[in-house]
Amino acid sequence: MIDALQTATTGMTRATDRLGKAAETIAASGAPVGDTALPPAAQVDLTSAAADLVGSKSAFALNAAVARTADRMMGQLLDISA
């Protein structure tokens, strides 16, 4: 059970890191401070960053579900043994 919680926690941490990197990529593609001109669309590839956002959201949600399930199972095991 503890391994499942550790694995889920590690997965959520990695998903959060991946989300942060994707957000940095998207933010860096914007206009510099004080400049209203955006770079041409041909120079900005946001498709991979958007895919990373969606993927990291799904990965976090799946790992959170694993953590909830492991927690529920541990609770039931403790109830049985008590």
Side-chain angles (χ1 to χ4, degrees):
M1 294 297 168
I2 301 300
D3 290 338
L5 285 174
Q6 289 174 344
T7 302
T9 303
T10 301
M12 287 188 284
T13 302
R14 288 184 181 166
T16 302
D17 293 342
R18 188 172 158 199
L19 178 82
K21 288 178 186 175
E24 286 176 10
T25 300
I26 292 171
S29 70
V33 175
D35 187 11
T36 59
L38 292 173
Q43 295 177 357
V44 179
D45 179 28
L46 297 178
T47 55
S48 62
D52 281 344
L53 287 175
V54 172
S56 61
K57 177 184 173 186
S58 297
F60 190 92
L62 291 171
N63 281 297
V66 168
R68 281 191 302 271
T69 302
D71 182 52
R72 199 171 334 141
M73 290 174 66
M74 182 63 76
Q76 289 176 351
L77 181 62
L78 289 172
D79 288 343
I80 290 170
S81 64

